[in-house]
Amino acid sequence: MTQDLTPQQAWEMMRDGNRRFVEGDPDHPRQDVGRRTAVQTGQAPHAVVLACSDSRAPVEIIFDQGLGDVFVIRTAGEITDLSVLASLEFAVDGLGCPLVVVLGHESCGAVKAAYAALENGTMPDGFQRVLVEKVTPSLLTARAAGQTTMEQFERHHVVEIASHLIDRSPQLQQRMRDGRCGVVGMHYRLSDNRAVPVVAHGVDLGEEPGPVSEPGAGDARR
């Protein structure tokens, strides 16, 4: 299997898939017997998605994608470590994925936990403390920029993670310079099922990224 899509084409496939899902008319593409047979011999996903592990945001479903279409890395709060970066580079450099998507979402528990730690000093037990430690820097920079709502924090965290991936991965940087890869950060709204782009590198969204906070957004304590 070969990968010959441009970053722009890969982005449009993801964007259009989410649009179908929002409209309640998904295609459920590339899930037939022929596709199942084809992917036995290899994979050529058109996107690698670093998403939150939240059970309400299954990547293949909300983007209406099929078998072998997306290489998915999921951690609570989209946090990164060396294994995440290694998996990302395998997808980008080894499999030739032309698009990297960072997918945050509405009502993110990791962001809420980091906010609680900042406000009240409340820390979870055990290894869950790592989530707070990893997400807190995004909240601090968001606060320094005057952001105050939970939605702003969630979106800003996506922006920070997208920048972090680019900064940490020389392979991703090189492929972006060559025009072979783009990066898009998105915020998935549970309320209407739309994945709203909030930042893009090397891809024309065809629209302005969504505002950091939309009119009427609740405050961070909601």
Side-chain angles (χ1 to χ4, degrees):
M1 302 178 72
T2 60
Q3 178 58 265
D4 56 6
L5 292 177
T6 66
Q8 189 66 34
Q9 290 170 326
W11 156 246
E12 290 169 1
M13 290 182 70
M14 299 293 280
R15 177 200 64 195
D16 293 347
N18 180 244
R19 182 178 300 145
R20 293 192 300 270
F21 178 67
V22 169
E23 293 172 351
D25 189 27
D27 287 345
H28 303 295
R30 296 170 292 282
Q31 298 178 19
D32 57 10
V33 174
R35 181 64 167 182
R36 282 179 262 168
T37 301
V39 296
Q40 291 177 20
T41 58
Q43 59 174 320
H46 53 255
V48 51
V49 182
L50 173 57
C52 183
S53 299
D54 195 292
S55 62
R56 299 166 294 178
V59 174
E60 290 89 346
I61 293 176
I62 67 176
F63 288 105
D64 192 26
Q65 300 297 299
L67 295 169
D69 285 345
V70 287
F71 187 96
V72 182
I73 307 165
R74 299 187 70 173
T75 63
E78 314 95 63
I79 66 171
T80 66
D81 58 18
L82 291 179
S83 62
V84 169
L85 292 168
S87 297
L88 177 88
E89 290 190 347
F90 170 71
V92 169
D93 194 44
L95 299 178
C97 285
L99 182 69
V100 175
V101 175
V102 177
L103 183 66
H105 67 94
E106 188 176 40
S107 299
C108 179
V111 174
K112 287 182 177 178
Y115 176 80
L118 286 177
E119 286 293 293
N120 310 314
T122 304
M123 288 289 287
D125 296 327
F127 289 113
Q128 294 179 69
R129 297 171 68 93
V130 174
L131 302 178
V132 170
E133 294 167 359
K134 291 277 192 174
V135 175
T136 296
S138 294
L139 270 61
L140 291 174
T141 57
R143 279 181 159 185
Q147 298 172 15
T148 59
T149 72
M150 186 62 69
E151 183 177 343
Q152 287 176 321
F153 293 155
E154 290 164 353
R155 293 184 179 214
H156 187 79
H157 182 55
V158 168
V159 172
E160 290 287 320
I161 292 296
S163 294
H164 175 73
L165 295 179
I166 296 169
D167 291 343
R168 291 291 303 276
S169 174
Q171 285 86 349
L172 178 55
Q173 293 169 21
Q174 183 60 57
R175 294 183 76 90
M176 291 178 70
R177 283 194 295 268
D178 295 344
R180 291 179 292 164
C181 193
V183 178
V184 177
M186 309 185 79
H187 181 251
Y188 176 61
R189 297 192 304 220
L190 301 176
S191 52
D192 63 6
N193 304 123
R194 185 170 177 231
V196 181
V198 296
V199 67
H201 304 273
V203 171
D204 180 4
L205 296 174
E207 59 182 295
E208 289 297 316
V212 173
S213 181
E214 297 184 351
D219 67 24
R221 289 171 292 280
R222 68 179 182 177

